Short mmCIF file of all heavy atoms in Angstrom, two decimals:
data_model
loop_
_atom_site.label_atom_id
_atom_site.label_comp_id
_atom_site.label_asym_id
_atom_site.label_seq_id
_atom_site.Cartn_x
_atom_site.Cartn_y
_atom_site.Cartn_z
N GLY B 120 -6.20 15.20 12.14
CA GLY B 120 -7.44 14.64 12.03
C GLY B 120 -7.77 13.86 10.75
O GLY B 120 -6.94 13.48 10.06
N GLY B 121 -9.02 13.98 10.46
CA GLY B 121 -9.72 13.07 9.50
C GLY B 121 -9.54 13.43 8.01
O GLY B 121 -9.91 12.80 7.17
N PHE B 122 -9.07 14.86 7.76
CA PHE B 122 -9.16 15.34 6.40
C PHE B 122 -7.81 14.91 5.71
O PHE B 122 -7.08 15.76 5.25
CB PHE B 122 -9.37 16.73 6.34
CG PHE B 122 -10.67 17.15 6.84
CD1 PHE B 122 -10.93 18.55 7.18
CD2 PHE B 122 -11.71 16.25 6.96
CE1 PHE B 122 -12.19 18.90 7.56
CE2 PHE B 122 -13.06 16.62 7.39
CZ PHE B 122 -13.22 17.97 7.65
N ALA B 123 -7.46 13.56 5.77
CA ALA B 123 -6.34 13.00 5.27
C ALA B 123 -6.62 11.66 4.85
O ALA B 123 -7.45 10.94 5.49
CB ALA B 123 -5.09 13.23 6.18
N GLY B 124 -5.60 11.01 3.95
CA GLY B 124 -5.85 9.51 3.64
C GLY B 124 -5.47 8.75 4.72
O GLY B 124 -6.11 7.65 4.87
N HIS B 125 -4.62 9.03 5.58
CA HIS B 125 -4.20 8.35 6.82
C HIS B 125 -4.18 9.18 8.04
O HIS B 125 -4.09 10.45 7.90
CB HIS B 125 -2.82 7.71 6.71
CG HIS B 125 -2.50 6.60 5.53
ND1 HIS B 125 -1.33 6.18 5.28
CD2 HIS B 125 -3.46 6.26 4.69
CE1 HIS B 125 -1.49 5.29 4.28
NE2 HIS B 125 -2.82 5.35 3.77
N ALA B 126 -4.38 8.57 9.18
CA ALA B 126 -4.26 9.26 10.41
C ALA B 126 -3.56 8.39 11.38
O ALA B 126 -3.67 7.19 11.39
CB ALA B 126 -5.69 9.53 10.95
N ARG B 127 -2.82 9.02 12.30
CA ARG B 127 -2.13 8.22 13.34
C ARG B 127 -2.71 8.70 14.76
O ARG B 127 -2.67 9.98 15.01
CB ARG B 127 -0.63 8.40 13.20
CG ARG B 127 0.00 7.40 14.45
CD ARG B 127 1.60 7.40 14.18
NE ARG B 127 1.84 6.77 12.98
CZ ARG B 127 2.91 7.25 12.14
NH1 ARG B 127 3.42 8.30 12.35
NH2 ARG B 127 3.16 6.54 11.10
N LEU B 128 -3.29 7.81 15.52
CA LEU B 128 -4.05 8.21 16.71
C LEU B 128 -3.54 7.33 17.89
O LEU B 128 -3.04 6.29 17.79
CB LEU B 128 -5.55 8.14 16.42
CG LEU B 128 -6.09 8.91 15.20
CD1 LEU B 128 -7.40 8.59 14.98
CD2 LEU B 128 -5.92 10.33 15.45
N ASN B 129 -4.12 7.86 19.00
CA ASN B 129 -3.96 7.05 20.33
C ASN B 129 -5.07 6.10 20.42
O ASN B 129 -6.13 6.38 20.28
CB ASN B 129 -4.05 8.31 21.54
CG ASN B 129 -3.78 7.49 22.67
OD1 ASN B 129 -3.95 6.38 22.87
ND2 ASN B 129 -3.24 8.36 23.63
N SER B 130 -4.69 4.89 20.64
CA SER B 130 -5.69 3.74 20.78
C SER B 130 -6.74 4.07 21.82
O SER B 130 -8.03 3.53 21.64
CB SER B 130 -5.10 2.39 21.07
OG SER B 130 -4.34 2.54 22.34
N ASP B 131 -6.45 4.84 22.88
CA ASP B 131 -7.54 5.28 23.88
C ASP B 131 -8.64 6.10 23.20
O ASP B 131 -9.77 6.14 23.91
CB ASP B 131 -6.94 6.01 24.99
CG ASP B 131 -6.14 5.17 25.96
OD1 ASP B 131 -6.25 3.92 25.82
OD2 ASP B 131 -5.23 5.72 26.67
N TRP B 132 -8.42 6.60 22.15
CA TRP B 132 -9.46 7.55 21.53
C TRP B 132 -10.48 6.68 20.64
O TRP B 132 -11.43 7.35 20.27
CB TRP B 132 -8.85 8.65 20.73
CG TRP B 132 -7.78 9.48 21.45
CD1 TRP B 132 -7.84 9.71 22.74
CD2 TRP B 132 -6.74 10.27 20.85
NE1 TRP B 132 -6.74 10.59 23.10
CE2 TRP B 132 -6.05 10.90 21.85
CE3 TRP B 132 -6.35 10.45 19.62
CZ2 TRP B 132 -5.16 11.78 21.63
CZ3 TRP B 132 -5.24 11.32 19.29
CH2 TRP B 132 -4.63 12.01 20.44
N LEU B 133 -9.92 5.48 20.22
CA LEU B 133 -10.75 4.80 19.29
C LEU B 133 -11.75 3.91 19.81
O LEU B 133 -11.61 3.28 20.96
CB LEU B 133 -9.84 4.00 18.39
CG LEU B 133 -8.68 4.70 17.77
CD1 LEU B 133 -7.66 3.61 17.07
CD2 LEU B 133 -9.20 5.52 16.59
N ILE B 134 -13.00 3.75 19.12
CA ILE B 134 -13.72 2.53 19.53
C ILE B 134 -14.11 1.74 18.32
O ILE B 134 -13.85 2.31 17.16
CB ILE B 134 -15.13 3.08 20.09
CG1 ILE B 134 -15.95 3.91 19.09
CG2 ILE B 134 -14.93 3.87 21.37
CD1 ILE B 134 -17.40 4.21 19.64
N PRO B 135 -14.28 0.43 18.42
CA PRO B 135 -14.60 -0.41 17.20
C PRO B 135 -15.78 0.14 16.50
O PRO B 135 -16.65 0.73 17.10
CB PRO B 135 -14.92 -1.75 17.82
CG PRO B 135 -14.39 -1.67 19.27
CD PRO B 135 -14.50 -0.27 19.65
N LEU B 136 -15.78 0.10 15.26
CA LEU B 136 -16.92 0.55 14.45
C LEU B 136 -18.13 -0.25 14.95
O LEU B 136 -18.07 -1.46 14.86
CB LEU B 136 -16.59 0.32 12.94
CG LEU B 136 -17.64 0.89 11.94
CD1 LEU B 136 -17.46 2.46 11.85
CD2 LEU B 136 -17.22 0.34 10.47
N PRO B 137 -19.21 0.39 15.34
CA PRO B 137 -20.30 -0.42 15.74
C PRO B 137 -20.78 -1.40 14.68
O PRO B 137 -20.80 -1.03 13.43
CB PRO B 137 -21.36 0.69 15.91
CG PRO B 137 -20.63 1.87 16.23
CD PRO B 137 -19.40 1.78 15.38
N LYS B 138 -21.21 -2.60 15.14
CA LYS B 138 -21.70 -3.61 14.26
C LYS B 138 -22.82 -3.17 13.44
O LYS B 138 -23.64 -2.46 13.83
CB LYS B 138 -22.01 -4.86 15.16
CG LYS B 138 -20.96 -5.70 15.60
CD LYS B 138 -21.21 -7.16 15.72
CE LYS B 138 -20.03 -7.84 16.07
NZ LYS B 138 -18.93 -7.23 16.79
N GLY B 139 -22.87 -3.58 12.11
CA GLY B 139 -23.94 -3.17 11.23
C GLY B 139 -23.83 -1.82 10.53
O GLY B 139 -24.56 -1.52 9.73
N LEU B 140 -22.75 -1.07 10.92
CA LEU B 140 -22.51 0.23 10.23
C LEU B 140 -21.24 0.14 9.46
O LEU B 140 -20.30 -0.30 9.74
CB LEU B 140 -22.25 1.39 11.32
CG LEU B 140 -23.45 1.86 12.12
CD1 LEU B 140 -23.01 3.00 12.98
CD2 LEU B 140 -24.62 2.28 11.29
N THR B 141 -21.32 0.66 8.18
CA THR B 141 -20.14 0.94 7.50
C THR B 141 -19.52 2.22 7.92
O THR B 141 -20.07 3.11 8.58
CB THR B 141 -20.52 1.20 5.92
OG1 THR B 141 -21.32 2.26 5.78
CG2 THR B 141 -21.31 -0.01 5.36
N SER B 142 -18.32 2.41 7.36
CA SER B 142 -17.55 3.69 7.85
C SER B 142 -18.29 4.93 7.32
O SER B 142 -18.46 5.92 8.04
CB SER B 142 -16.14 3.70 7.10
OG SER B 142 -15.33 2.64 7.73
N GLN B 143 -18.83 4.82 6.12
CA GLN B 143 -19.68 5.94 5.68
C GLN B 143 -20.88 6.22 6.43
O GLN B 143 -21.18 7.36 6.78
CB GLN B 143 -20.00 5.61 4.18
CG GLN B 143 -18.87 5.64 3.14
CD GLN B 143 -17.94 4.52 3.26
OE1 GLN B 143 -18.24 3.39 3.81
NE2 GLN B 143 -16.70 4.65 2.66
N GLN B 144 -21.55 5.12 6.84
CA GLN B 144 -22.79 5.36 7.65
C GLN B 144 -22.27 5.93 9.03
O GLN B 144 -23.05 6.81 9.60
CB GLN B 144 -23.43 4.05 7.84
CG GLN B 144 -24.36 3.62 6.67
CD GLN B 144 -24.90 2.21 6.86
OE1 GLN B 144 -24.18 1.27 7.46
NE2 GLN B 144 -26.07 2.01 6.43
N ALA B 145 -21.27 5.51 9.59
CA ALA B 145 -20.85 6.04 10.90
C ALA B 145 -20.60 7.45 10.78
O ALA B 145 -20.86 8.30 11.71
CB ALA B 145 -19.62 5.24 11.30
N MET B 146 -20.03 7.97 9.53
CA MET B 146 -19.77 9.24 9.53
C MET B 146 -21.01 10.14 9.14
O MET B 146 -21.10 11.37 9.36
CB MET B 146 -18.66 9.51 8.39
CG MET B 146 -17.34 9.04 8.78
SD MET B 146 -16.64 9.92 10.25
CE MET B 146 -17.07 8.95 11.58
N GLY B 147 -21.98 9.55 8.64
CA GLY B 147 -23.32 10.03 8.41
C GLY B 147 -23.86 10.62 9.76
O GLY B 147 -24.51 11.58 9.92
N ILE B 148 -23.52 9.84 10.71
CA ILE B 148 -23.94 10.16 12.08
C ILE B 148 -22.89 11.08 12.69
O ILE B 148 -23.20 12.26 13.07
CB ILE B 148 -24.01 8.80 13.04
CG1 ILE B 148 -25.06 7.85 12.50
CG2 ILE B 148 -24.25 9.24 14.40
CD1 ILE B 148 -24.91 6.40 12.71
N GLY B 149 -21.63 10.66 12.87
CA GLY B 149 -20.43 11.47 13.24
C GLY B 149 -20.72 12.16 14.54
O GLY B 149 -21.48 11.84 15.27
N THR B 150 -19.84 13.19 14.81
CA THR B 150 -19.95 13.85 16.13
C THR B 150 -21.23 14.44 16.46
O THR B 150 -21.89 14.46 17.51
CB THR B 150 -18.80 14.80 16.33
OG1 THR B 150 -17.56 14.18 16.58
CG2 THR B 150 -19.03 15.89 17.47
N ALA B 151 -21.86 15.09 15.45
CA ALA B 151 -23.09 15.76 15.52
C ALA B 151 -24.18 14.77 15.90
O ALA B 151 -24.97 15.10 16.88
CB ALA B 151 -23.54 16.50 14.22
N GLY B 152 -24.25 13.54 15.24
CA GLY B 152 -25.34 12.70 15.55
C GLY B 152 -25.01 11.94 16.87
O GLY B 152 -26.08 11.74 17.57
N TYR B 153 -23.86 11.69 17.14
CA TYR B 153 -23.53 11.11 18.49
C TYR B 153 -23.76 12.02 19.62
O TYR B 153 -24.34 11.79 20.69
CB TYR B 153 -22.13 10.48 18.41
CG TYR B 153 -21.22 10.63 19.59
CD1 TYR B 153 -21.22 9.98 20.79
CD2 TYR B 153 -20.14 11.50 19.36
CE1 TYR B 153 -20.37 10.19 21.80
CE2 TYR B 153 -19.22 11.73 20.41
CZ TYR B 153 -19.28 11.00 21.54
OH TYR B 153 -18.36 11.21 22.67
N THR B 154 -23.59 13.35 19.41
CA THR B 154 -23.99 14.43 20.46
C THR B 154 -25.52 14.46 20.64
O THR B 154 -26.01 14.66 21.56
CB THR B 154 -23.46 15.76 19.97
OG1 THR B 154 -21.95 15.58 19.92
CG2 THR B 154 -23.62 16.88 20.96
N ALA B 155 -26.24 14.32 19.46
CA ALA B 155 -27.71 14.38 19.57
C ALA B 155 -28.11 13.16 20.44
O ALA B 155 -28.98 13.32 21.41
CB ALA B 155 -28.27 14.22 18.18
N MET B 156 -27.45 11.97 20.40
CA MET B 156 -27.81 10.84 21.18
C MET B 156 -27.38 11.29 22.66
O MET B 156 -28.16 10.90 23.61
CB MET B 156 -27.11 9.63 20.67
CG MET B 156 -27.55 8.39 21.25
SD MET B 156 -29.12 7.85 20.67
CE MET B 156 -30.21 7.84 22.24
N LEU B 157 -26.31 11.87 22.85
CA LEU B 157 -25.80 12.18 24.26
C LEU B 157 -26.88 13.03 24.90
O LEU B 157 -27.18 13.01 26.12
CB LEU B 157 -24.50 12.85 24.19
CG LEU B 157 -23.22 11.95 23.94
CD1 LEU B 157 -22.03 12.95 23.88
CD2 LEU B 157 -23.01 10.76 24.86
N CYS B 158 -27.43 14.05 24.08
CA CYS B 158 -28.42 14.96 24.60
C CYS B 158 -29.66 14.22 24.99
O CYS B 158 -30.11 14.33 26.13
CB CYS B 158 -28.87 15.96 23.59
SG CYS B 158 -27.54 17.18 23.22
N VAL B 159 -30.14 13.34 24.19
CA VAL B 159 -31.32 12.41 24.62
C VAL B 159 -31.01 11.65 25.85
O VAL B 159 -31.84 11.52 26.73
CB VAL B 159 -31.78 11.44 23.32
CG1 VAL B 159 -32.86 10.61 23.67
CG2 VAL B 159 -32.14 12.44 22.19
N MET B 160 -29.86 11.02 25.94
CA MET B 160 -29.45 10.24 27.16
C MET B 160 -29.51 11.17 28.34
O MET B 160 -29.83 10.76 29.45
CB MET B 160 -28.14 9.59 26.86
CG MET B 160 -28.22 8.31 25.87
SD MET B 160 -26.62 7.84 25.12
CE MET B 160 -25.59 7.85 26.52
#
Side-chain angles (χ1 to χ4, degrees):
F122 296 165
H125 294 182
R127 185 172 294 131
L128 303 171
N129 184 332
S130 54
D131 285 345
W132 303 337
L133 301 171
I134 63 170
L136 189 68
K138 284 209 168 34
L140 287 184
T141 63
S142 292
Q143 286 73 16
Q144 284 170 322
M146 289 297 97
I148 298 156
T150 285
Y153 134 75
T154 302
M156 191 73 239
L157 290 176
C158 289
V159 174
M160 286 160 46

